[in-house]
Amino acid sequence: MTATVQQTLTVSCVILTMGNRPAEVTRAVDSVLAQHGTRVELVVVGNGADVTGLPAGVRAVRLPENVGVAAGRNAGVAACDGDVVLFLDDDGWYPDPGLAAHIAGRFAAEPSLAVLSMQVVDPDGGPGARWHVPRLRAGDPERSSPVTTFAGGACAIRRAAYLEAGGLPEVFFYAHEETDLAWRLLGLGYRLEYDAAARMCHHALPNARHAAFYRLDGRNRVLLARRNLPWPLAAAYLLTWFALTVVRERSVTAVRAWVSGFAEGWRMNPGLRRPMSARTAWRMTRAGRPPII
């Protein structure tokens, strides 16, 4: 299988950085260059930052300003040539040097597979951050299972499928851009899977919640619904999240920021609208994640 993978699939890795974690970037780069069993092309994208001190053979892309996670990763995909693209956060790293070969083998054997979402492990031995784990049908992070979304900094994507779906929506800047891409891939008939054997390390830091986060969360949920959902499902999705946010968030400041973003999402151009089919909505429901929450 390894020989076939080397002949038929190439692998790229895109690391996105804002230039404020030089030691962590070095660790991430070293973990990519340590991969064996298949060659891995590495592209480091400086999102509004210079990228210096990279080893020979590593491609650097400097963007003139911070254009956000979605546009930054799109720029990395445009600069690479691999059949499969690994996305890695600049403060994460791969503990297993055989990861790329494992992933290449999965994609070579399964043409309908578009995304492999990885298990994110705490290097200190803790349980890891819950928000890194996709919602699985059985709720068990120790097994493989179909999923309907993924964590952008801990996944592998078939490049042709990524491009076919239009890449990540740059208008989102940050938050829910992976969900938008996942829904569009599902609509094209591809599969997304969580693979517990594919691991990346990331310290279990709390998920930052601040006014800008709440504004983007509210705004992008509206953009997500406007771009992807038939209007009855869009109404159910947005009403559900509006109610959940008001009930769940105890901070008046947080709710105000979220509602402000929610209103902003209706004023913006969301980009191309492609409402998902009833068949796609049913696939998501069967996987345990109906597109209303």
Side-chain angles (χ1 to χ4, degrees):
M1 172 62 75
T2 300
T4 302
V5 168
Q6 289 177 329
Q7 291 171 10
T8 61
L9 281 182
T10 56
V11 178
S12 298
C13 180
V14 171
I15 297 175
L16 184 64
T17 182
M18 293 177 61
N20 55 350
R21 294 168 172 160
E24 288 86 348
V25 169
T26 297
R27 179 179 59 192
V29 166
D30 288 346
S31 74
V32 174
L33 298 181
Q35 296 297 308
H36 59 70
T38 188
R39 179 181 173 274
V40 182
E41 172 197 39
L42 177 56
V43 177
V44 180
V45 178
N47 210 347
D50 291 320
V51 181
T52 60
L54 296 175
V58 177
R59 187 178 305 176
V61 175
R62 189 196 191 282
L63 302 178
E65 60 182 347
N66 179 8
V67 294
V69 172
R73 287 184 177 142
N74 284 347
V77 172
C80 71
D81 301 313
D83 300 303
V84 177
V85 180
L86 299 168
F87 286 133
L88 179 63
D89 284 342
D90 62 356
D91 56 347
W93 69 99
Y94 299 133
D96 179 7
L99 172 71
H102 168 75
I103 286 174
R106 288 292 311 272
F107 279 95
E110 303 171 57
S112 66
L113 182 64
V115 175
L116 273 184
S117 181
M118 301 180 194
Q119 180 182 181
V120 181
V121 297
D122 182 355
D124 297 325
R130 178 65 186 88
W131 58 274
H132 275 141
V133 181
R135 288 175 173 82
L136 308 181
R137 185 154 44 193
D140 182 1
E142 297 303 321
R143 70 185 188 94
S144 295
S145 176
V147 292
T148 58
T149 189
F150 55 91
C155 71
I157 297 183
R158 191 180 298 274
R159 187 169 184 267
Y162 185 95
L163 297 175
E164 183 182 359
L168 292 166
E170 298 186 2
V171 68
F172 282 41
F173 192 83
Y174 166 77
H176 310 309
E177 70 279 356
E178 300 102 336
T179 302
D180 183 276
L181 177 58
W183 287 4
R184 297 203 169 194
L185 289 168
L186 289 168
L188 291 169
Y190 289 103
R191 293 189 301 106
L192 286 65
E193 187 167 317
Y194 170 77
D195 185 350
R199 303 183 304 150
M200 64 88 69
C201 284
H202 192 284
H203 289 288
L205 301 174
N207 195 6
R209 300 294 174 102
H210 40 72
F213 166 86
Y214 286 109
R215 181 182 68 83
L216 289 176
D217 181 73
R219 186 194 75 176
N220 291 355
R221 289 202 184 278
V222 174
L223 297 179
L224 182 66
R226 291 177 64 195
R227 285 166 57 88
N228 296 288
L229 294 178
W231 289 118
L233 285 179
Y237 176 85
L238 294 174
L239 285 172
T240 297
W241 276 106
F242 194 100
L244 282 174
T245 301
V246 171
V247 171
R248 189 166 57 185
E249 300 300 338
R250 299 180 179 179
S251 166
V252 174
T253 301
V255 173
R256 283 178 177 171
W258 195 93
V259 171
S260 172
F262 189 90
E264 182 183 350
W266 289 106
R267 297 192 297 267
M268 294 178 59
N269 179 359
L272 182 63
R273 175 170 164 79
R274 293 178 181 170
M276 69 172 58
S277 66
R279 181 177 181 180
T280 300
W282 178 239
R283 282 184 65 196
M284 293 178 61
T285 302
R286 290 184 62 191
R289 192 73 185 272
I292 59 173
I293 190 168

